Amino acid sequence: MLTQRGNRFWTYEESLRFLGVELGRIMSVMKLSSGGLFVQSPAELTPELKTALEELGEVRFVAPASKLHGHLYMEQYRAAYPDATLLAAPGLPARRPDLRFDHVLGDTPDPRWGTDIDQVVVAGHRWLTELAFFHRPSRTLILGDVGFHVGDDSPLKTRLVARALRIRNRLGPPIELRLTIQNEATFRRSIRDVLAWEFDRVVPGHGEIIDSGGQQALLEGYDWLLE
Ligand SMILES: [Fe+2]
């Protein structure tokens, strides 16, 4: 169920098929030093997952990566945890008028989680504004669609599609996201802000977790932008 990856850090991998290809998606769970849980990109809240979460603590914050990634099951968390705070990414409140959000995440972490988790807005893309998170105690970077990572453990069909999308064994965005960057300087500055964090592990939005050497993987995955 939930896999402990580092200090106060767990992941849960869920199946996700997109255009007939198994992409998978990953939920991250962080236990804040103040006690509660910060959940990023929540998975479907099955009874098993609910029990596993309850063993760790009380769900206090639920955050997406963007308006496209990580908000699918938020209504289940709202219903199960009426006192939890739902956080939005830019553009998400308009997409999910059924949900009441506490606020829209920006570059400044809130004091309620800021001692444990830092955040950066990855900006400069035409339609995707994403939140990257850094969990300090476990030195983990958490991405969404700007960080696909399809490695050798993925199914053959997924690997073939990933090659076409230029994300095979590469931590980065699929080619169509690359080609629709609106302001390259802004996007580059965002990725440099992410690289300033001292992370070792990377949890991609889709694909395989990189348990160490994540800095180097991100540098290599973004060589087309950074050089
Ligand atoms: Fe995604």
Side-chain angles (χ1 to χ4, degrees), residues 16 25 68-70 144-145 148 205-206:
L16 174 78
R25 61 187 287 287
L68 300 179
H69 186 109
D145 296 321
F148 276 66
H206 306 279

Side-chain angles (χ1 to χ4, degrees), residues 15 25 50 52 63 78 108 161 165 177 204:
S15 162
R25 61 187 287 287
K50 194 157 182 281
R78 163 53 72 228
T108 317
V161 170
L165 298 176
L177 275 185

Side-chain angles (χ1 to χ4, degrees), residues 58-84:
E58 180 196 334
V59 172
R60 215 163 279 167
F61 301 100
V62 184
S66 71
K67 67 177 181 184
L68 300 179
H69 186 109
H71 68 82
L72 268 191
Y73 304 109
M74 276 190 169
E75 70 288 351
Q76 300 175 357
Y77 290 71
R78 163 53 72 228
Y81 310 109
D83 295 331

Side-chain angles (χ1 to χ4, degrees), residues 4-206:
Q4 180 152 22
R5 301 263 168 194
N7 188 13
R8 289 191 269 133
F9 185 82
W10 294 261
T11 57
Y12 174 63
E13 295 177 56
E14 189 179 45
S15 162
L16 174 78
R17 290 184 76 79
F18 185 70
L19 302 176
V21 174
E22 178 55 46
L23 271 183
R25 61 187 287 287
I26 307 170
M27 160 183 177
S28 295
V29 179
M30 293 151 265
K31 187 164 178 125
L32 300 170
S33 28
S34 58
L37 302 180
F38 188 105
V39 173
Q40 185 268 4
S41 197
E44 184 174 8
L45 193 57
T46 60
E48 296 77 26
L49 180 56
K50 194 157 182 281
T51 304
L53 284 170
E54 273 154 22
E55 276 166 20
L56 297 184
E58 180 196 334
V59 172
R60 215 163 279 167
F61 301 100
V62 184
S66 71
K67 67 177 181 184
L68 300 179
H69 186 109
H71 68 82
L72 268 191
Y73 304 109
M74 276 190 169
E75 70 288 351
Q76 300 175 357
Y77 290 71
R78 163 53 72 228
Y81 310 109
D83 295 331
T85 297
L86 297 192
L87 303 166
L92 184 55
R95 230 182 150 84
R96 294 298 305 266
D98 59 312
L99 295 174
R100 182 177 38 82
F101 292 102
D102 182 68
H103 74 250
V104 179
L105 294 160
D107 273 319
T108 317
D110 188 284
R112 289 175 292 173
W113 61 81
T115 21
D116 302 275
I117 303 166
D118 199 0
Q119 65 201 58
V120 153
V121 173
V122 180
H125 189 269
R126 205 174 292 166
W127 39 263
L128 184 78
T129 304
E130 190 166 286
L131 265 301
F133 294 99
F134 173 52
H135 183 238
R136 283 192 196 87
S138 65
R139 296 182 61 206
T140 303
L141 167 66
I142 305 159
L143 299 173
D145 296 321
V146 302
F148 276 66
H149 180 247
V150 177
D152 296 334
D153 292 338
S154 296
L156 175 66
K157 198 170 168 192
T158 309
R159 282 180 274 145
L160 291 173
V161 170
R163 180 176 299 169
L165 298 176
R166 314 263 187 92
I167 45 169
R168 171 94 170 88
N169 283 326
R170 177 178 266 276
L171 176 64
I175 188 74
E176 79 267 24
L177 275 185
R178 260 206 236 180
L179 296 175
T180 42
I181 289 173
Q182 188 163 38
N183 186 327
E184 204 170 285
T186 303
F187 201 91
R188 187 181 299 116
R189 209 176 308 125
S190 302
I191 297 300
R192 286 203 200 285
D193 284 348
V194 168
L195 282 162
W197 288 328
E198 290 187 346
F199 59 91
D200 193 29
R201 180 182 299 101
V202 180
V203 175
H206 306 279

